[in-house]
Amino acid sequence: MSERQIQLEVLRYNPETDSEPRYQTYSVPCMNEWVVLDALNYVKDNLDPTLSYRWSCHMAVCGSCGMMINGEPKLACKAFIHEYTDQVRVEPMANFPIERDLVTSVEDFIAKLACVKPYLIPKSDQPVSAGAFQQSPAELKKFKQYTLCINCMLCYAACPQYGLVPEFLGPAAISMAHRYNQDSRDGGRDQRQEVIASDEGVWECSFVGACSEVCPKHVDPAGALQQVKVASTLDWYKEHLMPWMKK
Amino acid sequence: MAKSNKPIFWGLFAAGGTVTAFVTPALALVTLIAAMRYSPDMFTYDAIHVFAAHWLGKLVIFGIILLSLWHAAHRTRVTVHDFGVRADSLVAIVVYALAGIGTLLTLVYLLRI
Amino acid sequence: MEIIKTDIAIVGAGGAGLRAAIALAEADPKLRIALISKVYPMRSHTCAAEGGAAGVIKSDDSMALHFGDTVGGGDWLSDQDAVEYFIHEAPKELTQLEHWGCPWSREPDGSVAVRPFGGMKIKRTWFAADKSGFHILHTLFQTSLKYPSIQRFDEYYATDLLVEDGHCQGLTALEIRSGQMKQFQARAVIIAGGGGGRMFPFTTNGAVKTGDGMALAYRAGVPLKDMEFVQYHPTGLPNNGILLTEGCRGEGGVLFNKDGRRYLQDYGMGPETPIGQPVLKTMELGPRDRVSQAFWHEQKKGNTVSTPWGDCVLLDMRHLGEKKIDERLPLVRDLCISYLGKDPVKEPIPIRPVVHYMMGGIHTNIKAATPLPGLFAAGECACVSINGANRLGSNSLTELLVFGKRAALSAIEHVQSGLSASKDAALTGQAQASETRIGTLMKKSAGTETIAGLRKEMMETMETNVGIYRTGSELATACDKISELRQRYAHIALHDKTHVYNTDLMQALELGSMLDCAEAVTVGARDRKESRGAHQRLDFTERDDVNLLKHTLAYYHPTEPPRLDYLDVVITQSQPGVRDYSGAKK
Amino acid sequence: MNKPYVRPLSKTSWFLTQPRYKRYMLREVTCLFIFAYTFLLIWGLKRLSEGPDAFQGFLNALHSPWSVLFNLAVLIAAVYHSTTWFNVTPQAMPIQRGEEFVPGNIIIGAHYAVWAVVSLIILIIGIRGM
Ligand SMILES: Cc1cc2nc3c(=O)[nH]c(=O)nc-3n(C[C@H](O)[C@H](O)[C@H](O)COP(=O)(O)OP(=O)(O)OC[C@H]3O[C@@H](n4cnc5c(N)ncnc54)[C@H](O)[C@@H]3O)c2cc1C
Ligand code: SF4
Ligand code: F3S
Ligand code: FES
């Protein structure tokens, strides 16, 4: 357990006192096994109580602590100090408005998530008293990966199309729609298509693939979006070229 | 929000992407060798003509060219956007028109063979 | 100050708060529901729960067995009428969650799978790999998006309850984004603010678990119950307290000391079971309190392994094999590799007990109602009590659902009983007092104390004196120290004077909550002169059913330590007996 | 009091900010080469339809340093396109057999195998007389 002095360069912005963001550097004695979040907590407790950022679980499941670390979207609680040199730059997540310091706006993402109907719309109504639905391990596996999204929004910070076109529904929201579409218990795909197969839906994605590269939970949103495109395209051809085929 | 009509073009783009991925490198290699005139009698009019004259050959050539065109056209549209040109409708008309003309010409030439 | 009028306000959007909100929305779409949370709902700490949720569904299981395991696990401090209600509702709630899309792990035939947990006579824990709480929380959050009547106030920090004419009629909350105080006027309030494990330095609990919900009710005069019962989970990563779920042992992981001995057999949980063939309620499948206590003894005997992070024992899962670990415990593997640099497929993992859960909390009855009319509580912040002196693993997630819903139904009953609201002026007066309190706190800059400094002292006090085993003198020290810290809290200095996302202020408020709760813990522990469940005293080693088969109730005092009172435990079918975790006897 | 700060993002040079964006843009611009090359093929087709002399003229015209350069560029672009395309197929079209998904490498490998066969056929048809 060796200790190392790290220069932590943090983007600061306080809307009440600053007209634009600026960098502030803190010299932090870090244990080698620390994560960047530990270093931030050290700053908060010992050097500068005015630094603001979000965190809670410290185990990469709550999705609070997304930020840019040396330019890469990362969870601060899973960015290990030993992977960095003595100079670490921490900035708020790209593509989101900065509220203060490392805190960015979440509202837009939540609204997008809500609009894809991210909940089970059951194929068949069954009262709770009739027991659980059947679902084979294979059927579960089909969508399981997409349930792992912790809503950390790193994929949005990585996706240039979201940066360029803020109306884009974006990787995590569409992946979540796909998750329910792929669930053997669900029958709500048609309802979700109205939103995700629109121009601002999946069609803003040009398969940059950055979302999947940065996703800390290996959800592979890029894959989900391409699958949604394939399925939506098949829908379109069926609808327009083979109108006699009922979906 | 309404469902987008992008699937028409995206379908062609995706199919085209696959086709060009399989054939274009080899085709380009052939024309590259021809360009370097590696050996003058490597490209015989007869052999290629026989292939192109057969209806199956025509179909294959038509398929490859059509899909390559539409693949490239759609991706160009996106790429122009990525370079910061925000006139998507105009760009779309231009690139799809190019692809359309190319398709038409191909059809005409193939029928003449 | 902006006034937000609503029918029912819920503080906390973790498992319990969300379940309550959905129950309200389903019961009456016309009800206005304000769901107030200091973090976005999916950041709530329910997301960290790994192992699973208990509920009887398999044919070899029965309500009687779940009842027995819960009451025995709780060392007979559980209220048995509440346990009966709980176990009957449990399967319904878990099935409901399945209908909402929760990706429970499955048997090959497509039915929901269950796994064994510590202290259970039969496998009963529903699980979604080792991310059960995560999936429960996200399923609930996403389902809640269906209901337009649930109005969310994300990143609002509740500061005080409004109590007028003897009933609770709302609360004040700070909008963290703007720094503005808001007044919520409601006809009933449900508190679902989660636990307070953060008063200890070494804990599985996330930063949000600072006991705010408990403190909110406590300061409004509602007693906190059984706060001295703090659960240590036996298997935490030694460097940062990250939890390795009980599912590790449920699936067959075993514990060794430095000599390679399965030491649990020396503490009444033997005889030793063959590796790879776990026997329920035996050895590694003993209850958390016993397994954690065994660690303490091993440490005293010098049988632990010393690591850079202190003394540890070893959790060995290698015999489970890579495939099973990846299927059933993928998160555990990832956590071990990422945060400790050790792969459980290849080597044993050093672990030690870690503060995990608070059995105690806001005193409620079986209907989730507190003694204050109009105020209800559910989840970890509440104490019904089904968990007694030691919670059975995987009962908590189920409790969130069962009592989250119950709190909602009780709140509706209360609203329909037609109590008339007090005049705006009276409520606004109180709200302004709260605003002044926060304003004064924020202005403090001359103070000599720092938030981080006081917090550190509090944590050290709790760690040294209120651990797995306690003594009268240590507890007396702790009581003095915490009450001193409460005094010194009046002199803290805040450095951040701005309004937008002032986390300095948040931390000051959270520290206040933790200190209040910590005092209820220490005073309750000092005066409980017996050993029961998670409360073990070296100076009173026996359980005392004659005098102390009772709940502790702690009443708040602004400047003095709390006043204690006691309440009889409700016994319906099971008289206190011997807790037997030796597999030999059946 | 809230005044969220939106960092400017250059619409025309955003892709220079990160290596992965540059790789993406490189992949995207391959289409320009494929576009142009397809028109070259169409021109060849036209000449083919006009008889042996015309086709010979086409071959002669091909024989120039610029043409070599162009074809080389197309070749490189096309190979880059093919590899980037095949490497992501398992993401876009996963295949589930029983419970498990077919590992991505197998899907990618299968594509490379087909690619090799198709290329061989094209070379044989294209370069008769070898
Ligand atoms: C690592 C870990 C693993 C666990 N594993 C299991 C398991 O396998 N099985 C099991 O049964 N139990 C398990 N538990 C226990 C269980 O997860 C918790 O007891 C339970 O999730 C608590 O849920 P809750 O809804 O009461 O609170 P939380 O989920 O903690 O939510 C609290 C909510 O209150 C809000 N809040 C708090 N204070 C304020 C305030 N001042 N103003 C506004 N809002 C506020 C927060 O924002 C949050 O939304 C585990 C616990 C931990 C820590
Ligand atoms: S898809 Fe991945 S990166 Fe995106 S929000 Fe979900 S977990 Fe985060
Ligand atoms: S990075 Fe963006 S463009 Fe698509 S593949 Fe991912 S959403
Ligand atoms: S603190 Fe929860 S994800 Fe980092």
Side-chain angles (χ1 to χ4, degrees):
Chain A
M1 279 204 302
S2 51
E3 205 179 282
R4 195 152 61 100
Q5 204 72 21
I6 300 282
Q7 301 307 312
L8 203 64
E9 203 184 343
V10 183
L11 194 72
R12 303 289 314 265
Y13 171 68
N14 187 327
E16 286 160 83
T17 54
D18 304 333
S19 57
E20 56 179 45
R22 64 199 156 84
Y23 285 99
Q24 185 166 352
T25 304
Y26 302 98
S27 184
V28 184
C30 291
M31 304 304 256
N32 217 26
E33 58 179 43
W34 273 14
V35 289
V36 170
L37 176 61
D38 294 318
L40 289 171
N41 285 344
Y42 182 91
V43 173
K44 180 89 180 161
D45 285 354
N46 301 289
L47 305 175
D48 186 351
T50 67
L51 179 66
S52 281
Y53 50 96
R54 295 187 179 104
W55 73 285
S56 175
C57 69
H58 199 290
M59 56 187 278
V61 313
C62 77
S64 311
C65 67
M67 42 192 87
M68 309 298 283
I69 299 175
N70 285 351
E72 179 79 359
K74 284 266 186 195
L75 295 178
C77 68
K78 221 183 171 181
F80 295 91
I81 291 288
H82 63 77
E83 288 169 10
Y84 297 98
T85 59
D86 293 347
Q87 192 88 29
V88 179
R89 176 178 276 207
V90 183
E91 298 157 285
M93 266 192 292
N95 299 337
F96 292 97
I98 308 173
E99 292 281 357
R100 155 134 191 210
D101 297 343
L102 300 170
V103 177
T104 49
S105 312
V106 182
E107 285 309 311
D108 181 53
F109 167 69
I110 298 278
K112 284 176 174 159
L113 183 66
C115 81
V116 304
K117 305 196 184 218
Y119 39 78
L120 199 80
I121 301 175
K123 231 184 241 161
S124 57
D125 257 335
Q126 179 174 318
V128 167
S129 55
F133 293 112
Q134 294 291 109
Q135 183 167 66
S136 70
E139 288 169 326
L140 173 64
K141 185 111 186 190
K142 188 161 181 221
F143 68 93
K144 187 66 198 271
Q145 178 185 2
Y146 309 115
T147 65
L148 300 180
C149 172
I150 60 173
N151 295 354
C152 65
M153 300 153 44
L154 292 184
C155 49
Y156 286 76
C159 175
Q161 302 302 2
Y162 175 65
L164 294 167
V165 184
E167 294 76 32
F168 175 32
L169 273 183
I174 298 173
S175 304
M176 198 49 77
H178 187 58
R179 168 248 178 276
Y180 283 101
N181 289 345
Q182 299 284 87
D183 190 320
S184 60
R185 298 165 291 183
D186 185 87
R189 178 162 178 269
D190 284 349
Q191 295 182 38
R192 292 187 198 101
Q193 278 304 97
E194 295 297 322
V195 182
I196 64 174
S198 69
D199 278 334
E200 289 75 34
V202 73
W203 298 112
E204 277 302 337
C205 164
S206 57
F207 205 174
V208 177
C211 50
S212 290
E213 286 174 40
V214 305
C215 174
K217 293 287 145 182
H218 311 295
V219 171
D220 190 9
L225 266 65
Q226 308 325 304
Q227 293 166 38
V228 168
K229 287 184 200 168
V230 172
S232 308
T233 301
L234 293 179
D235 280 357
W236 192 93
Y237 279 102
K238 261 190 220 155
E239 216 171 290
H240 291 85
L241 303 181
M242 299 182 276
W244 61 91
M245 269 194 51
K246 281 246 164 73
K247 268 196 292 179
Chain B
M1 271 188 254
K3 283 198 205 170
S4 173
N5 278 328
K6 288 222 175 116
I8 328 170
F9 303 114
W10 193 81
L12 290 167
F13 159 79
T18 310
V19 166
T20 54
F22 280 125
V23 305
T24 312
L27 285 175
L29 191 59
V30 171
T31 47
L32 178 63
I33 293 170
M36 298 195 300
R37 181 95 40 113
Y38 184 61
S39 148
D41 49 22
M42 266 170 56
F43 306 91
T44 58
Y45 168 79
D46 291 342
I48 295 174
H49 190 265
V50 166
F51 180 77
H54 194 275
W55 64 268
L56 194 65
K58 281 196 192 353
L59 203 68
V60 169
I61 293 173
F62 183 67
I64 290 176
I65 292 184
L66 169 110
L67 290 173
S68 302
L69 278 174
W70 287 91
H71 164 76
H74 185 71
R75 198 173 243 186
T76 305
R77 174 183 175 188
V78 175
T79 306
V80 170
H81 191 263
D82 284 341
F83 275 113
V85 179
R86 287 289 178 274
D88 187 52
S89 314
L90 184 69
V91 174
I93 291 170
V94 172
V95 293
Y96 295 147
L98 274 176
I101 294 168
T103 312
L104 223 67
L105 290 177
T106 309
L107 208 59
V108 171
Y109 300 144
L110 275 177
L111 291 177
R112 281 203 201 141
I113 292 176
Chain C
M1 193 183 332
E2 187 188 346
I3 298 180
I4 297 160
K5 296 207 180 206
T6 182
D7 290 315
I8 296 175
I10 305 172
V11 178
L18 286 165
R19 182 65 189 93
I22 296 172
L24 291 171
E26 282 195 327
D28 181 359
K30 287 196 294 295
L31 273 178
R32 291 167 305 171
I33 304 153
L35 184 58
I36 300 157
S37 172
K38 68 176 173 178
V39 292
Y40 280 88
M42 61 282 186
R43 317 294 186 219
S44 303
H45 206 58
T46 298
C47 73
E50 301 173 8
V56 175
I57 39 158
K58 296 292 172 183
S59 53
D60 56 356
D61 200 359
S62 73
M63 295 293 169
L65 287 174
H66 194 186
F67 177 88
D69 289 344
T70 304
V71 172
D75 219 349
W76 279 273
L77 196 70
S78 316
D79 282 336
Q80 298 182 7
D81 54 345
V83 175
E84 281 166 21
Y85 176 76
F86 166 72
I87 57 174
H88 280 97
E89 292 300 306
K92 293 184 218 162
E93 280 302 315
L94 296 176
T95 306
Q96 174 65 77
L97 217 51
E98 196 274 341
H99 282 213
W100 283 333
C102 188
W104 296 118
S105 292
R106 301 282 173 162
E107 305 283 7
D109 69 357
S111 63
V112 173
V114 289
R115 67 159 46 128
F117 246 58
M120 283 186 182
K121 212 161 190 147
I122 208 107
K123 291 199 231 176
R124 178 184 305 129
T125 299
W126 300 41
F127 62 101
D130 54 359
K131 302 186 180 77
S132 310
F134 167 79
H135 288 302
I136 290 177
L137 183 69
H138 281 253
T139 301
L140 287 171
F141 171 57
Q142 292 171 6
T143 301
S144 80
L145 297 172
K146 261 201 298 210
Y147 301 99
S149 61
I150 302 176
Q151 201 184 350
R152 283 207 328 277
F153 296 87
D154 296 330
E155 300 195 322
Y156 278 64
Y157 184 100
T159 55
D160 291 281
L161 294 177
L162 302 177
V163 183
E164 189 66 30
D165 296 329
H167 61 275
C168 181
Q169 303 190 42
L171 60 129
T172 48
L174 187 75
E175 184 185 19
I176 303 174
R177 178 168 183 268
S178 67
Q180 303 291 307
M181 284 291 274
K182 310 277 164 159
Q183 181 188 155
F184 289 84
Q185 292 187 0
R187 293 192 286 159
V189 174
I190 300 173
I191 301 186
R198 277 267 151 190
M199 64 179 84
F200 290 82
F202 188 61
T203 174
T204 61
N205 285 197
V208 293
K209 301 195 79 167
T210 54
D212 293 328
M214 298 177 184
L216 208 55
Y218 187 41
R219 286 197 304 262
V222 177
L224 297 183
K225 184 162 71 188
D226 294 339
M227 291 292 280
E228 60 270 31
F229 296 97
V230 177
Q231 181 168 71
Y232 276 76
H233 196 293
T235 57
L237 288 185
N239 50 345
N240 49 27
I242 289 178
L243 176 80
L244 302 185
T245 169
E246 197 157 295
C248 297
R249 284 169 289 135
E251 297 296 345
V254 295
L255 294 172
F256 284 114
N257 65 15
K258 78 168 199 298
D259 307 319
R261 179 170 172 80
R262 305 257 309 275
Y263 60 91
L264 292 180
Q265 58 187 301
D266 303 333
Y267 301 94
M269 284 173 268
E272 187 174 345
T273 51
I275 286 189
Q277 296 169 35
V279 174
L280 291 155
K281 263 189 155 174
T282 310
M283 291 296 287
E284 281 78 11
L285 292 180
R288 290 180 183 171
D289 52 346
R290 290 285 176 84
V291 179
S292 297
Q293 287 152 17
F295 171 87
W296 186 92
H297 290 290
E298 286 293 291
Q299 190 179 26
K300 285 275 172 289
K301 289 184 195 162
N303 288 344
T304 44
V305 184
S306 59
T307 73
W309 314 284
D311 294 336
C312 291
V313 287
L314 297 169
L315 172 63
D316 194 351
M317 292 177 267
R318 286 174 299 181
H319 52 279
L320 301 182
E322 184 163 7
K323 186 166 181 295
K324 183 157 184 185
I325 291 183
D326 282 347
E327 182 202 319
R328 295 279 174 106
L329 303 163
L331 178 67
V332 164
R333 185 174 185 197
D334 179 37
L335 293 171
C336 291
I337 293 176
S338 304
Y339 291 100
L340 199 67
K342 293 188 190 295
D343 184 350
V345 170
K346 300 199 185 100
E347 54 191 321
I349 306 296
I351 49 100
R352 66 182 172 112
V354 51
V355 168
H356 183 56
Y357 181 85
M358 302 195 56
M359 268 69 74
I362 303 167
H363 173 42
T364 71
N365 63 16
I366 183 172
K367 292 181 160 180
T370 71
L372 175 65
L375 184 68
F376 305 83
E380 190 171 342
C381 71
C383 180
V384 180
S385 144
I386 61 157
N387 299 314
N390 170 59
R391 171 175 71 93
L392 194 68
S394 75
N395 264 357
S396 171
L397 289 173
T398 314
E399 179 183 1
L400 307 179
L401 305 166
V402 170
F403 287 97
K405 179 173 177 190
R406 181 67 250 198
L409 300 181
S410 300
I412 294 179
E413 264 173 48
H414 175 82
V415 165
Q416 286 167 347
S417 72
L419 271 176
S420 60
S422 302
K423 294 242 159 25
D424 267 13
L427 296 173
T428 302
Q430 278 195 32
Q432 268 156 0
S434 167
E435 188 174 29
T436 313
R437 177 173 81 90
I438 309 295
T440 322
L441 181 65
M442 210 171 135
K443 284 199 201 79
K444 286 190 172 159
S445 48
T448 47
E449 307 286 355
T450 65
I451 296 169
L454 286 189
R455 193 171 50 210
K456 190 154 174 257
E457 285 187 47
M458 168 189 69
M459 287 178 169
E460 276 166 9
T461 307
M462 297 305 280
E463 165 120 310
T464 345
N465 302 304
V466 202
I468 297 178
Y469 280 95
R470 305 157 173 186
T471 65
S473 66
E474 279 172 355
L475 289 169
T477 313
C479 289
D480 293 347
K481 184 73 186 181
I482 299 291
S483 96
E484 173 203 317
L485 293 174
R486 278 186 72 207
Q487 312 288 333
R488 283 164 58 194
Y489 178 76
H491 308 292
I492 56 170
L494 262 68
H495 295 268
D496 191 342
K497 303 292 172 198
T498 60
H499 298 84
V500 177
Y501 285 98
N502 184 337
T503 46
D504 200 23
L505 175 62
M506 278 321 106
Q507 291 199 343
L509 291 168
E510 290 176 339
L511 175 62
S513 300
M514 286 192 284
L515 284 170
D516 288 348
C517 292
E519 199 173 32
V521 172
T522 52
V523 172
R526 184 195 60 201
D527 286 10
R528 185 174 280 276
K529 298 195 168 84
E530 64 160 351
S531 287
R532 183 188 295 273
H535 175 67
Q536 293 291 318
R537 293 207 29 179
L538 294 170
D539 45 353
F540 297 94
T541 53
E542 294 304 311
R543 194 172 76 192
D544 179 0
D545 289 328
V546 179
N547 300 305
L548 284 166
L549 190 56
K550 285 186 166 68
H551 299 295
T552 310
L553 296 179
Y555 289 85
Y556 178 80
H557 190 285
T559 49
E560 310 258 307
R563 170 176 69 81
L564 295 191
D565 198 358
Y566 292 89
L567 182 73
D568 284 338
V569 169
V570 179
I571 305 256
T572 59
Q573 347 174 346
S574 170
Q575 289 302 322
V578 179
R579 297 172 74 202
D580 177 19
Y581 296 102
S582 63
K585 292 174 261 165
K586 271 276 158 191
Chain D
M1 225 167 328
N2 290 94
K3 207 175 60 189
Y5 184 85
V6 181
R7 280 160 291 179
L9 178 65
S10 161
K11 294 240 188 300
T12 48
S13 61
W14 59 271
F15 48 87
L16 299 177
T17 58
Q18 274 210 23
R20 64 162 66 94
Y21 296 165
K22 288 185 201 157
R23 287 198 296 275
Y24 160 77
M25 277 308 240
L26 218 55
R27 182 190 88 188
E28 294 298 283
V29 294
T30 58
C31 71
L32 299 178
F33 292 89
I34 289 171
F35 217 169
Y37 181 73
T38 314
F39 278 103
L40 178 77
L41 288 185
I42 295 172
W43 185 44
L45 206 58
K46 172 179 186 309
R47 303 300 272 170
L48 186 70
S49 73
E50 290 164 0
D53 295 344
F55 189 66
Q56 197 53 48
F58 169 70
L59 288 180
N60 290 340
L62 262 189
H63 180 57
S64 87
W66 286 114
S67 159
V68 171
L69 217 60
F70 173 73
N71 277 287
L72 195 64
V74 171
L75 178 63
I76 295 169
V79 169
Y80 190 64
H81 164 70
S82 303
T83 51
T84 51
W85 192 271
F86 293 142
N87 290 348
V88 297
T89 36
Q91 284 176 280
M93 303 219 186
I95 303 168
Q96 195 181 14
R97 280 275 156 77
E99 193 180 332
E100 300 303 320
F101 280 93
V102 177
N105 295 341
I106 293 183
I107 299 180
I108 296 173
H111 277 88
Y112 276 81
V114 173
W115 184 22
V117 173
V118 170
S119 300
L120 207 66
I121 295 172
I122 292 175
L123 288 177
I124 290 171
I125 296 176
I127 315 179
R128 197 63 74 75
M130 267 217 287

